[in-house]
Amino acid sequence: MKKIIFFLMLVFLSCQSERNVEEIKLTKPTMVSISPDSIALNELQEKWDAEDFMSVIDDVMWYHSELMMVVDSFDIEQLNTEKRKIKLIGGENYWQIDMDTTELKWRYIYFDGSDFLERDAITMKDLLSEN
């Protein structure tokens, strides 16, 4: 009996975690940028001292801005989110993301209309500028 109850609880919990995933359908070239939510930012703030934290945030914002200017200049759609769990769906492909399981706090994923590509902001900017 205990095994059955345990199994049913596992099934219930897995269904709950699936419901918390936001599905985003992409139909054209799109730059998806995922930023840390307030919980992740608080964790980073506790991890670093105030000066280091502000320095990192300043750098991230500068590189993010540089990338978004390139994305904007090519008239690529932009999608920004702080969601922790998302599923990007594009054509026949999909990408499931759980920000709770990654050390990366800022992520950049480019959907070119058929496939996904993830790079950091600097590399993504260079890649888009070259093509």
Side-chain angles (χ1 to χ4, degrees), residues 12-115:
F12 176 76
L13 289 174
S14 68
C15 290
Q16 290 290 8
S17 65
E18 282 295 313
R19 262 191 265 161
N20 293 333
V21 175
E22 180 180 346
E23 289 190 0
I24 301 170
K25 293 185 180 173
L26 306 173
T27 58
K28 60 185 177 180
T30 306
M31 175 61 62
V32 179
S33 62
I34 307 170
S35 301
D37 63 4
S38 60
I39 295 168
L41 282 174
N42 286 338
E43 290 171 359
L44 291 174
Q45 200 167 11
E46 290 174 9
K47 182 178 175 181
W48 300 321
D49 65 36
E51 187 175 326
D52 288 343
F53 178 75
M54 293 310 294
S55 179
V56 167
I57 295 298
D58 186 51
D59 288 350
V60 166
M61 292 297 102
W62 190 84
Y63 289 118
H64 175 86
S65 174
E66 290 289 307
L67 172 59
M68 291 306 129
M69 284 191 293
V70 169
V71 168
D72 192 46
S73 73
F74 288 119
D75 200 27
I76 297 170
E77 188 164 321
Q78 298 178 30
L79 183 123
N80 301 297
T81 185
E82 293 179 355
K83 299 285 184 183
R84 295 174 81 89
K85 297 179 182 190
I86 63 173
K87 181 177 184 179
L88 300 174
I89 302 168
E92 299 294 315
N93 298 316
Y94 73 91
W95 194 325
Q96 187 99 15
I97 298 167
D98 182 350
M99 292 299 285
D100 293 333
T101 63
T102 180
E103 287 296 312
L104 296 172
K105 300 303 177 193
W106 287 269
R107 296 179 72 174
Y108 298 93
I109 300 167
Y110 177 61
F111 176 68
D112 66 5
S114 62
D115 209 0

Side-chain angles (χ1 to χ4, degrees), residues 31 62-63 65-71 74 119-131:
M31 175 61 62
W62 190 84
Y63 289 118
S65 174
E66 290 289 307
L67 172 59
M68 291 306 129
M69 284 191 293
V70 169
V71 168
F74 288 119
R119 298 287 187 273
D120 61 56
I122 300 165
T123 307
M124 187 70 79
K125 176 186 167 241
D126 293 342
L127 181 77
L128 291 174
S129 296
E130 291 171 3
N131 293 325

